[in-house]
């Protein structure tokens, strides 16, 4: 009788042998936590996802906090996919570099009133 070998569902970004759930990938994985910390955000993986987002909002305290959260989540997701599909090992520096690139593109599409705050946040954070 042949046995079917199923792929591992463990997170590829860390060596913790933890099943990759969306919550783990974006908030609990050591790789993603380092990315958030680089932005000055400190996720508490003991909290519920909504509470973490609320905490991020309070930690950043800027009107464009959701853009920051969405872009960093996307960058973490892309780092994961680059490893799985392209064999490119992720780095914190590469992920932050991609974040900077995307965030500067967002800058050109935001409300004019947000631009001084974004510039200030970028200068102090990145």
């Amino acid at each position: 009788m042949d046995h079917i070998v199923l792929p591992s569902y463990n997170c590829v970004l860390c060596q913790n042998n933890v099943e990759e759930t969306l919550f783990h990938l974006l908030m609990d994985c050591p790789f993603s936590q380092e990315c958030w910390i680089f932005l000055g955000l400190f996720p508490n993986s003991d909290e519920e996802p909504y509470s973490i987002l609320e905490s991020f909002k309070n930690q950043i305290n800027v009107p464009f906090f959701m853009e920051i959260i969405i872009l960093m989540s996307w960058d973490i997701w892309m780092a994961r996919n680059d490893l799985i599909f392209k064999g490119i090992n992720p780095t914190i520096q590469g992920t932050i570099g991609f974040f900077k690139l995307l965030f500067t593109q967002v800058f050109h599409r935001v409300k004019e009133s947000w631009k001084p705050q974004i510039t200030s946040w970028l200068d102090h954070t990145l």
Side-chain angles (χ1 to χ4, degrees), residues 5-6 13 16-17 29-30 51 54 76-77 92 94 98 110:
V5 177
L6 298 175
L13 295 180
N16 295 343
N17 288 328
C29 176
S51 297
E54 189 68 27
I76 293 167
W77 178 256
I92 301 301
F98 191 49
V110 299

Side-chain angles (χ1 to χ4, degrees), residues 4-114:
I4 298 175
V5 177
L6 298 175
S8 170
Y9 291 103
N10 288 344
C11 178
V12 297
L13 295 180
C14 69
Q15 305 299 316
N16 295 343
N17 288 328
V18 175
E19 181 179 347
E20 181 191 84
T21 63
L22 189 58
F23 181 80
H24 172 79
L25 178 67
L26 297 179
M27 296 294 163
D28 200 31
C29 176
F31 180 86
S32 65
Q33 287 186 349
E34 284 188 53
C35 292
W36 294 115
I37 290 169
F38 191 91
L39 296 181
L41 299 171
F42 301 92
N44 181 353
S45 57
D46 294 333
E47 294 181 4
E48 294 293 318
Y50 181 77
S51 297
I52 294 172
L53 293 178
E54 189 68 27
S55 172
F56 280 180
K57 176 183 177 183
N58 295 331
Q59 289 176 53
I60 299 173
N61 199 28
V62 293
F64 49 92
F65 76 95
M66 192 54 85
E67 285 79 0
I68 294 168
I69 293 168
I70 290 169
L71 282 180
M72 182 49 74
S73 296
W74 176 253
D75 294 339
I76 293 167
W77 178 256
M78 292 303 295
R80 171 209 181 264
N81 286 349
D82 283 349
L83 177 58
I84 292 172
F85 299 112
K86 298 177 183 176
I88 300 171
N89 286 322
T91 64
I92 301 301
Q93 295 79 15
T95 304
I96 296 302
F98 191 49
F99 175 87
K100 288 179 187 177
L101 173 67
L102 292 179
F103 205 79
T104 56
Q105 292 170 351
V106 168
F107 180 78
H108 297 291
R109 299 184 54 96
V110 299
K111 299 176 185 177
E112 286 296 321
S113 62
W114 287 8

